[in-house]
Structure formats: structure tokens, C-alpha cells
Amino acid sequence: KFLIESSLTDLSKSEILQLYTQLNVANVYRDIPIYIPLQVDWRGRIYVKSFFGNYQGSDLSLALINLSDDNSHPLTESGKNNLYIYACNLYNHQNMSKASYEDRIKWTSDNMEKIISLDPDFLIKAENKYTFTSVALVLKELGTYPNYSVKIPVFLDATCSGIQHLSTLIKDLDSANKVNLRAQSQLDKVEDIYSEFIGPVNKAIQNKGINEAEYSHFKNINLSRKHLKLPIMTKVYNVSVVGMADQLENSFEKIKINNKYYFLAPGLTSQIKLTRLDVFTIAEIINKEIFKYLPYLKSVYDFFQQMAKLCMKVNIPLIWITPNGLKITQFYNKSIQNKVSISFKNKSITVVLREMTEKMDRKKQVQSIIPNIIHS
């Protein structure tokens, strides 16, 4: 109750409504085992379909989920370590989620008294305060009952998994080191590829401001990890520069001046006002810097896209076989759109019917090869 009341002033009316709806739904089902419906998209990705109460939703949504009694087990030693690491990740004091496993386990142990006492002044400072509190409640129970069965989902670390997949596919040691694929001990500090981009990207943006008068306001731009993470992470899923620009816009504060929208980017001393064109230009710079920092990525992109173009010349599909023997065939057909308008009770609805042709969609063949390889 304390955590919820302390956050209400920062939420919009719709967010407050959503918060209380989640709590009410959870209260209705608190003593009833439930199933969470899932759906698999055509690339094999699994998504939760339920909006309220799921493990892919908001901080509060995840905090309210517990596994059923049939799926809970007493902690092993490695399970205890993972629970401690997870607790530290959720609190993320001074970016501790990037510290070594040993340091994260130690952080949780050192703060155990504050955790199990549910100290409100301590809990409110957690980066993910609801989920961290759910872990704190479990640790409190474990302190009293050592054989207590843990029922909360505990998430394990990954580092930019798309790049992890590509690094493994081509056995590139340099990139593998940057995404934590080398053998590591409990003492090793975790590599953070997103943070490594901060310096080179900001330098490239600032240099454009120094060298080109029309972009002089760029020389004080100072982007952070939160602005760069999504563009870097989705590059291996073939995000376009336009897509990167959209991601950046969503990470910036938006303002309206004389019926025109601008975006406020962090600067060295103050915020920098940007137009949509400015944001697109920054996206172009980030895109180039990704290829500079990960040259193997450019090689992989060029190889697969050239293979797609080669197959198109002879009008054959792209075919590959995954390590476990699954045969994948990529052949996108062009479609013809037919729009049908339906009127009912003075309302008109337009339905788009797609009719598939036998012609190859050459643009999609090239655009989709990288994400399809990664997901397969």
C-alpha cells in the first residue's frame, strides 16, 4: 500500500486505473490456480495474451505472479545464488546489475536485514520496486522457514541475445567477449555492450555538431545507455534507420511549440531541442557506429543479403537448416489488397482482404533474412 500510494502522484489517470485494475484482478484470483494463455507468432516467439497479470508485463504485473504449488521447489544452493543475483538486479543500486555474480550475491547478503524487515525507505529506492518487494517477501519467508518453496519467477541474465546468437553462429571471439559468451567465473565483471557504445556514439554526434554548422547544436548532445539500448539491441533484427529514429523519439521528452513537436535530448549542461530531422540524423550516426564497433555484423549482413539477392535472380527460395535439423524455407509471396467497406447502423467499417500471388516479394526477401536467421 505504501509503495502504491507513493507512486500515484507520478501516474496519469489511465495508469492509475490500470494499476488498480491489476490489483483487483489479482485479488479475485488470489486463491485460485490460473493458466496464462500464450500465443506463438510465425517466427516462434512466445507472447502472453492476458493483459492483466502476466510475467511479460509491467513491474507490478510481474510482482503479482506466483507459480502454482505443483511447480514450486525448495531452493538448491545454485537456486539461492540466482535468487540473490535477481534481487540485486531488481534493486540495481549504482548499476549493480552489471557487477560480478559474487558482488551481487554479497550485496543482497549485506542488505538482508533491510530487505526482510521490508523497510519502506529502502524498498522505495529500488529500480523495480514492486518486483523487488515480491522477492523481499520470499527472502523474509526463507529466513523463517529454510525449506520454504519459492513460487516467484526468477529471471536469469542475457546480454543482447541477438548479437549473442550471431557471435555464436560465426564463432567471432571478439564480439562474443562483448556479450559475455566466454567462460566466466563468479568474480568476473559483466560486460555491458550498450554502455560501451555511449562514448563512441556521443563523440560521433558531437563531431557532426563541430564540423557542420547546421548541426551546431549537436556538439553538446550526451545520450545515455537508455537511449542507445533499443537501437543496438534491435539492429540484429534488421531495424531500419527510420525505426531507430522512432525508438529515439520515444526515449526523449516531447514538447509542442507553435503547433510543432520537438524532442528534448540530454546535453552536457542542459537539454537540447531537436526536430524530427535531427533525430533521424542521430539515428543514422548510431547505425554507422554499430557497424564500426561490430565489423563482423556488417559482414554477416552483407553475406545474407547478397545470398537473398542471388536466390532471387534464379527465383528460388532461401533455405537453411538449424543445428537441430529443422529445415527453414523463406519465400515471401506478393499480395494484392482488396478493401471491402461494410455499413451497419450508420457506421462504416473497412476490411482489408489480402490475396496471395505466386510472385516473390523481393523486398521482403532481403529485409527479413537477418531476423529470420536469428529467430530460427
Side-chain angles (χ1 to χ4, degrees), residues 218-273:
F218 278 24
K219 62 187 176 184
N220 289 315
I221 288 177
N222 190 34
L223 301 184
S224 67
R225 183 182 186 274
K226 78 171 186 177
H227 303 106
L228 299 177
K229 182 177 179 179
L230 205 53
I232 295 164
M233 181 172 64
T234 53
K235 184 58 192 172
V236 290
Y237 303 118
N238 210 25
V239 65
S240 64
V241 175
V242 172
M244 284 187 180
D246 289 340
Q247 292 167 345
L248 287 171
E249 286 183 5
N250 290 330
S251 72
F252 296 148
E253 183 184 342
K254 192 176 182 180
I255 59 172
K256 191 175 183 181
I257 302 174
N258 297 327
N259 292 321
K260 188 174 181 182
Y261 285 105
Y262 294 90
F263 303 90
L264 298 179
L268 294 172
T269 54
S270 60
Q271 289 181 310
I272 312 298
K273 188 175 73 174

